[in-house]
Amino acid sequence: GQNIDQPTEMTATEGAIVQINCTYQTSGFNGLFWYQQHAGEAPTFLSYNVLDGLEEKGRFSSFLSRSKGYSYLLLKELQMKDSASYLCAAMDSNYQLIWGAGTKLIIKP
Amino acid sequence: GAVVSQHPSRVICKSGTSVKIECRSLDFQATTMFWYRQFPKQSLMLMATSNEGSKATYEQGVEKDKFLINHASLTLSTLTVTSAHPEDSSFYICSARSGGDSYEQYFGPGTRLTVT
């Protein structure tokens, strides 16, 4: 079956760095997405990886290892506004997104 | 660019009535639109996928006669919840994909449905 695993909740301190891990098992693979979702709002796109390696975009970076079925989202210089849920989604061979349950990130001052 | 709107943002209806939710891509043509449902503290659950001009493909367990989806144009899709019940209360979110080489989904702001 198809499955996405990510931690349920993480806590970090303002100004610090946090890494949110995601492992996936899908029928075929066409890329890995990360979305941010604030409570009561729709998800917003953060990153898309289809090749192995690290993609850096400002304070956020995303890493992919296709051989390991593994990705992580790295958030640097954490700000209070980064408190949100972070959703990992893998695209299968039918170009359908398989969603993880999301990681709730709590930022403390 | 790539803005998706949803209307209404919130709706309260009585049990047994029907509610229509609109999803529009404002600045691009959406060849594919997706409808999701999200219960509190849970992840997105894909309900159906629709391509312009064709019938929607529903996920297993989603009643197509209860959740009517119409994707009549490249910029508009509608979801109608028929004979709504309190258990249908949820956050409904649409997303749109422009097609071609882009597989990114652009999400609408969501519609909070409360059935009393």
Side-chain angles (χ1 to χ4, degrees):
Chain A
Q2 308 200 96
N3 191 53
I4 307 288
D5 282 318
Q6 53 181 128
T8 303
E9 187 174 297
M10 299 182 71
T11 302
T13 305
E14 189 177 15
I17 299 172
V18 71
Q19 177 175 312
I20 303 174
N21 296 323
C22 170
T23 57
Y24 63 89
Q25 289 179 306
T26 54
S27 302
F29 180 75
N30 280 298
L32 194 293
F33 290 82
W34 283 96
Y35 283 83
Q36 180 191 59
Q37 186 178 24
H38 285 99
E41 299 179 12
T44 55
F45 171 80
L46 289 178
S47 67
Y48 171 63
N49 294 64
V50 66
L51 300 176
D52 286 352
L54 186 69
E55 297 264 351
E56 297 186 69
K57 193 186 292 185
R59 294 190 298 116
F60 293 6
S61 302
S62 56
F63 171 85
L64 175 67
S65 169
R66 296 181 63 149
S67 62
K68 296 181 179 178
Y70 167 69
S71 173
Y72 67 72
L73 180 69
L74 189 71
L75 293 78
K76 303 176 184 177
E77 301 169 17
L78 286 170
Q79 302 175 8
M80 298 303 292
K81 68 178 181 179
D82 297 331
S83 293
S85 287
Y86 291 85
L87 306 175
C88 172
M91 183 171 285
D92 68 11
S93 57
N94 293 321
Y95 298 96
Q96 291 277 52
L97 283 180
I98 311 301
W99 293 89
T103 298
K104 182 178 180 181
L105 177 62
I106 300 168
I107 310 296
K108 295 186 175 180
Chain B
V3 178
V4 176
S5 70
Q6 261 182 262
H7 178 79
S9 58
R10 289 178 180 272
V11 58
I12 300 173
C13 70
K14 292 189 176 181
S15 188
T17 61
S18 295
V19 174
K20 179 186 282 189
I21 303 169
E22 291 187 351
C23 177
R24 294 181 184 272
S25 57
L26 298 185
D27 51 3
F28 68 100
Q29 293 187 325
T31 55
T32 306
M33 285 186 166
F34 304 86
W35 286 96
Y36 292 88
R37 182 165 52 181
Q38 187 175 35
F39 294 105
K41 299 184 180 181
Q42 294 186 24
S43 190
L44 300 172
M45 290 173 48
L46 179 65
M47 299 175 68
T49 302
S50 73
N51 292 296
E52 184 265 340
S54 59
K55 289 185 178 180
T57 301
Y58 289 81
E59 294 300 300
Q60 194 172 10
V62 178
E63 301 172 58
K64 61 180 181 181
D65 294 331
K66 179 170 181 62
F67 299 99
L68 302 177
I69 292 171
N70 184 285
H71 190 169
S73 77
L74 284 171
T75 58
L76 173 65
S77 177
T78 60
L79 167 68
T80 301
V81 183
T82 62
S83 187
H85 291 285
E87 57 265 31
D88 298 325
S89 298
S90 187
F91 192 44
Y92 291 86
I93 310 172
C94 74
S95 69
R97 199 164 72 193
S98 60
D101 294 333
S102 172
Y103 294 103
E104 182 181 340
Q105 292 184 25
Y106 302 96
F107 284 86
T111 296
R112 177 77 58 193
L113 170 63
T114 303
V115 184
T116 60

